Amino acid sequence: MLVWIVFAAVGLLALFFRNPHFFRDVQFVRKKLKTRSRILKYMQTNYSVLDRFIDAEKEHPHKPFILFGDETFTYRDAEELSNKAARVFLQSGLLKQGDTVALFLGNEPVFLWLWLGLVKIGCSAAFLNCNIRSKSLLHCFKCSGARTLVAAEELQDAVDEVLPALLEQQVTVFILTDRCQTADLKSFKDKMSQASSEPLSKDLRSHLTLRSPAAYIYTSGTTGFPKAAVISHAKLWLVACFPSLAGMNSEDVIYISLPLYHTTGFLGFASAIDRGITVALRRKFSVSQFWNDCRKYDVTVIQYIGEIMRYLCNTPKKPNDRSHKVRLAVGNGIRADVWRDFISRFGNVKIREFYGATEGNFGLLNYSGKIGAVGRDSFLHRRYFPHAVIKFDVETETPLRDSSGLCIEATKGEPGLLVSEISLTAPFSGYMGDLQQSEKKRLHDVLRKGDLYFNTGDLLRIEEDNFIYFQDRVGDTFRWKGENVATTEVADVITMVDCIKEANVYGVEVPGHEGRAGMAAINLPEGLRFDSAAVFKHVENFLPAYARPRFLRIQRSLDVTGTFKHLKMKLVAEGFNPNQITDPLYFLDEKDKSYVPLTVDKFNLITSGQIKM
């Protein structure tokens, strides 16, 4: 027996010296397995995030749950207000078990009361992006299958714009106000204030299982109309548990300034319920008030997306930059240079970068703190949470397959498509009302005949040290001169130039050329001019010839989604034609060693093939 213990110890030591992250790798997989086991146990009893909220309210009814401006709502307040909201829906007679209500509002406590109230009566909610309008608004509403819409008072103009189409579909519209001036709209707040706050019978949701929809959350819409991802109650538990894997505990206060209508924001709310903690909620991210809010509410955990961290680092330095209690930052999309700047300036905040998708069935977490990485590749992780990075043709946007029809795994350092196995413990619920798009995300016969994997639509790479890095979105990467160009890498490089504040990189078609030429929409820091020669010198020094943007477009501001992702489709469609674009355009001129203004004459010479690229 002793011999085997010695052999095991020697084996572990050997593994450790070959892989200094071995024990952390094991610990992370162990935590994920415990989380999976916990959710499987909940599935047997249909114990939902709502049930956890009700239990948390019983445990500490007077503990602050939501801090919003100067208002404080306790767990008891949230319980009673959500009961009132539920009763308004019940008394309207409009809903039956399993129905969906579309919510069209921003970050405010009533968003949370409405969702809790709907689940209490056995219904679900579709979270509409409060920035969408007209056709996009109608598209997203139709996707949800809802017959009832609840909108914020300040969004009534947007509702009025599409009201005829909604009424034609016999949709009931509530406005979060005490009184409506429009006959076809119903008020909600007055009815809610008059409703009883007494608990509702659990029988109202007795039909729900953890496989039932808890919400519909829309993809960002960077590549077309948003799609409604089905978030089951089981998936919501996975979302709720993720910050705990990153190190959040029951003593924390979490700050949410990202939109609740998106996974990033709702993740914070669900995880707060899981841990029974306090949420400091802000209506909208404010770079000037971010740290003031953190100090005001004694915030210990913040959520981020990459752009938020960059905005914070770009503010003028202050003596009290390190005067805060924030110890943990959980999010995704932070650039390596911003990561370093953030820690250097704001102190020893643990940054836990993760990878995941709203509709996905798999996630990665950088638990070791390696700057720039999104996670680690390990045998144990692949064993218990099957996934792979496979070779991918960015032109045809299809995986490469061998002679037997199976996909080919990418080599170390080679960007490839991340795929994750679809199974009973890692299901893919698809998109509401869009079977075609749902099927496009399913890949068959990946590593063996008959298997089924989820196509993340993201290109990642695994380096020799087994750290995993995000490369680009499929569709954002393009080919030029026979090489793949990753837009995120090019953007990271060109924003290192002092005169470029932000960059949105994409590929445009050029007549007579295969593939797409690189183009970047940029904006400039206040008070700085575009230094064409300096930009040329920088891209020449830091980018291979095929990756250098051939065209630049200077904009006052770059169009982004509600979660600060750059919008590319319109830019790609507009191309580089100065006859159609009023923004200043520049062309990379290798003879002049500079970016020169793209005139109509130069445009004609390029499109006719007289200027070689």
Side-chain angles (χ1 to χ4, degrees), residues 301-338:
V301 178
I302 60 173
Q303 290 181 283
Y304 71 86
I305 49 132
E307 291 302 290
I308 279 182
M309 304 296 250
R310 188 176 61 78
Y311 295 155
L312 293 172
C313 288
N314 283 346
T315 58
K317 291 186 177 181
K318 295 180 180 179
N320 65 344
D321 276 344
R322 292 187 172 217
S323 177
H324 59 78
K325 294 182 180 179
V326 175
R327 64 173 191 85
L328 180 67
V330 183
N332 62 327
I334 185 172
R335 294 193 332 228
D337 59 326
V338 175

Side-chain angles (χ1 to χ4, degrees), residues 261-280:
Y261 62 71
H262 198 270
T263 315
T264 47
F266 204 65
L267 175 150
F269 166 64
S271 64
I273 290 176
D274 176 43
R275 307 309 296 173
I277 65 172
T278 301
V279 173

